[in-house]
Amino acid sequence: MDTFVIEGGRRLSGTLAVNGSKNAALPLMAAALLTRERLVLRGVPLLADIRNMQKLLQVLGCRAERDGDGDLAMQSADGASVYAPYDIVRTMRAGICVLGPLLARFGEARVSMPGGCAIGDRPVDLHLRGLAALGADVSLEGGDILVRAPRTRGVHRLRGARVFLGGPMGSTVLGTANVMSAAALARGETLIECAACEPEIVDLANLLNAMGARVTGAGSPRVLIEGVSELAGATHRVIPDRIEAGTLAAAAAITGGDLVLENCPLDALMAFTDRLHAMGVRVTTLEGADPMRATARFTAGGALRPIEVTTQPHPGFPTDLQAQLMALLTLADGNSVITEKIFPERFLHVAELSRMGAHLFRVGPTVIVSGVRRLVGAPVMASDLRASAGLVLAGLAAEGTTTVNRVYHIDRGYEALEDRLGSLGASIRRVDDRVEEAALLPVVVAAGRAVA
Ligand code: EPZ
């Protein structure tokens, strides 16, 4: 397993272009199952989760390869498999987003129940409620979800309906993606009430419409889908990754740096930039013709002001930037309050940041961050994708050396993070633990002999 070794205290500055969005690309890839024609996605980042989704699609009889230009070309054959096995779904919970497309295209699907993960329980009851509302027969067997469309006049086909997708924490992003994709091929109209409003849902609706679907209202809590009999192939560029953009902006802020981000989805980051502004970080738009692909400058300097923040469904503050903001606030000039409303257990980074000298006090879904003057580098353990990013940010600002273990978590959602931060002046290198252990072995053996 790889480790990042970070020498803190360097100010980041320079220019980077934001990569394509992981959380948009995954449901977009699943949409390839809705048609037998070729679907091409541009700007898909090179990430472990993307490779896992390619593997899952191939198991489902859908070719998924990079072409010469780096675009992702997919084509789903008729009569392919409709079974998404546990060994792939368990490594990437987002595999659940093949459920709706398989059901809509083939009339049935068997998808392993995704387990929980480091950020807490990950139920799928809203996904299943939504598909059942479209007429699907839903059952659970041996850890798998089985869904089958109703048979009318010899054809298995879902029927449009009014679907409510509200849950205890608001709506569900991948649940909305599943129901929207399934409804695209249903007979009649579907109205999704309490749909997720995330930008990734808008991107999926834009792709579905490019394939011949009729989706309106995406980005609002009410999405209308008029079912069609079949969908065609398309070519589509993935929206920029708002969470990668926020993470890079936070890296500049925590080091008192000055960063220009190109292809920056400012329009999808309003809640985040609002909090940066409140902390005293300057955010200026250098070019914003398309506010989803703007050029923005993030400038920090002087003490960061403490703030309050609560994570909410979009357009509220994104839970996927909570750990990164907490790292930033550990060095603010006063006490901040962070409340996590989406995944109340999403605090695995708290103990690790405390090892670096942060003063953090958790009370249920809330953490009081009492700002300190400095963090001190230490060995810390990555646990989930975004918590790991928070630890890297802390390491960039800490005095001395920070080693972040198990960076495979980071590789799931950030492409070559060490190279990208290094290009801005960070001292961060990837160490392959296997190489390090092998190099150390002779020394350890010799030391053992000397002691014996
Ligand atoms: C998506 O996950 C993202 N993943 C997550 O990003 C993100 O944190 C999350 O949305 C919230 O914004 C992808 O897009 C691949 P949800 P998703 O269903 O869709 C509850 C990252 O770091 N819920 O919107 O799985 C659930 O427990 C990842 O990139 C139900 O109760 O999240 C949670 O409290 C982590 N029943 C809330 O809703 C359900 O059936 C939001 O979950 C589904 C969800």
Side-chain angles (χ1 to χ4, degrees):
M1 283 184 277
D2 291 355
T3 296
F4 278 164
V5 178
I6 304 166
E7 299 303 332
R10 301 193 180 201
R11 183 176 173 278
L12 299 196
S13 67
T15 299
L16 274 181
V18 178
N19 284 326
S21 165
K22 165 183 84 83
N23 288 353
L26 293 170
L28 294 177
M29 290 169 72
L33 296 166
L34 288 166
T35 175
R36 65 172 64 83
E37 294 185 16
R38 179 177 156 92
L39 180 65
V40 176
L41 295 178
R42 297 206 159 121
V44 177
L46 296 167
L47 300 172
D49 273 11
I50 300 296
R51 287 189 292 276
N52 272 331
M53 182 58 91
Q54 284 178 256
K55 205 187 305 176
L56 176 54
L57 289 175
Q58 281 151 0
V59 163
L60 296 170
C62 176
R63 197 168 55 78
E65 285 135 15
R66 297 271 179 177
D67 65 21
D69 304 327
D71 297 338
L72 193 55
M74 290 158 286
Q75 189 147 14
S76 163
D78 283 336
S81 163
V82 292
Y83 175 39
Y86 176 69
D87 65 342
I88 298 182
V89 176
R90 73 181 172 83
T91 60
M92 181 192 61
R93 195 191 161 284
I96 189 72
C97 66
V98 301
L99 188 65
L102 285 174
L103 175 62
R105 169 85 179 282
F106 300 111
E108 60 177 337
R110 182 181 185 121
V111 176
S112 173
M113 257 310 233
C117 67
I119 62 178
D121 289 347
R122 305 296 294 275
V124 291
D125 57 308
L126 298 175
H127 297 240
L128 304 184
R129 182 207 292 174
L131 297 177
L134 297 179
D137 176 59
V138 178
S139 59
L140 300 180
E141 193 182 294
D144 291 341
I145 300 163
L146 281 71
V147 288
R148 181 184 292 277
R151 190 187 177 96
T152 40
R153 295 195 288 277
V155 176
H156 284 288
R157 191 175 180 193
L158 296 168
R159 55 173 185 273
R162 189 165 186 186
V163 182
F164 179 71
L165 280 185
M169 312 298 190
S171 186
T172 162
V173 177
L174 290 183
T176 301
N178 260 329
V179 173
M180 204 162 73
S181 301
L185 286 176
R187 188 193 314 278
E189 266 193 2
T190 295
L191 178 64
I192 304 177
E193 295 279 10
C194 199
C197 303
E198 272 67 7
E200 293 76 29
I201 294 300
V202 176
D203 205 30
L204 177 61
N206 290 339
L207 170 63
L208 292 174
N209 287 337
M211 295 167 71
R214 296 193 192 118
V215 182
T216 51
S220 83
R222 298 190 89 191
V223 179
L224 185 65
I225 305 108
E226 196 184 322
V228 295
S229 53
E230 64 178 357
L231 293 171
T235 297
H236 178 84
R237 177 167 293 278
V238 179
I239 56 169
D241 192 321
R242 59 194 169 106
I243 305 304
E244 187 204 38
T247 305
L248 294 171
I254 203 170
T255 60
D258 188 346
L259 171 67
V260 172
L261 285 181
E262 296 168 342
N263 197 38
C264 181
L266 275 182
D267 211 31
L269 279 168
M270 305 283 273
F272 177 72
T273 52
D274 166 74
R275 295 295 79 199
L276 284 187
H277 177 72
M279 295 171 70
V281 177
R282 229 174 22 261
V283 183
T284 42
T285 304
L286 304 179
E287 196 281 318
D290 173 356
M292 278 299 285
R293 297 182 188 279
T295 300
R297 184 174 179 186
F298 299 85
T299 314
L304 294 170
R305 292 190 289 264
I307 59 166
E308 296 76 41
V309 66
T310 297
T311 63
Q312 305 273 4
H314 192 77
F317 188 92
T319 174
D320 294 348
L321 284 173
Q322 180 256 104
Q324 298 91 317
L325 189 78
M326 188 182 291
L328 204 41
L329 289 171
T330 63
L331 292 169
D333 189 12
N335 294 338
S336 299
V337 182
I338 297 179
T339 300
E340 172 58 62
K341 287 272 197 182
I342 308 297
F343 297 110
E345 293 306 315
R346 194 173 198 172
F347 288 130
L348 288 173
H349 42 288
V350 169
E352 298 304 303
L353 289 170
S354 302
R355 288 173 45 75
M356 299 176 72
H359 286 181
L360 305 171
F361 310 95
R362 179 179 174 188
V363 182
T366 296
V367 171
I368 312 291
V369 186
S370 177
V372 294
R373 302 197 63 73
R374 66 193 187 103
L375 294 175
V376 180
V380 290
M381 188 69 74
S383 53
D384 78 274
L385 168 54
R386 308 304 178 184
S388 316
L391 297 178
V392 170
L393 298 186
L396 293 174
E399 288 176 4
T401 306
T402 297
T403 53
V404 182
N405 299 300
R406 299 185 182 173
V407 296
Y408 62 84
H409 289 292
I410 292 180
D411 295 334
R412 287 190 50 202
Y414 295 93
E415 186 180 322
L417 185 62
E418 72 274 27
D419 298 337
R420 286 162 73 70
L421 293 174
S423 74
L424 300 174
S427 167
I428 174 172
R429 63 191 172 89
R430 180 186 292 262
V431 172
D432 178 337
D433 294 354
R434 291 183 301 269
V435 172
E436 285 288 280
E437 279 159 16
L440 280 173
L441 195 58
V443 173
V444 169
V445 170
R449 285 204 187 105
V451 169

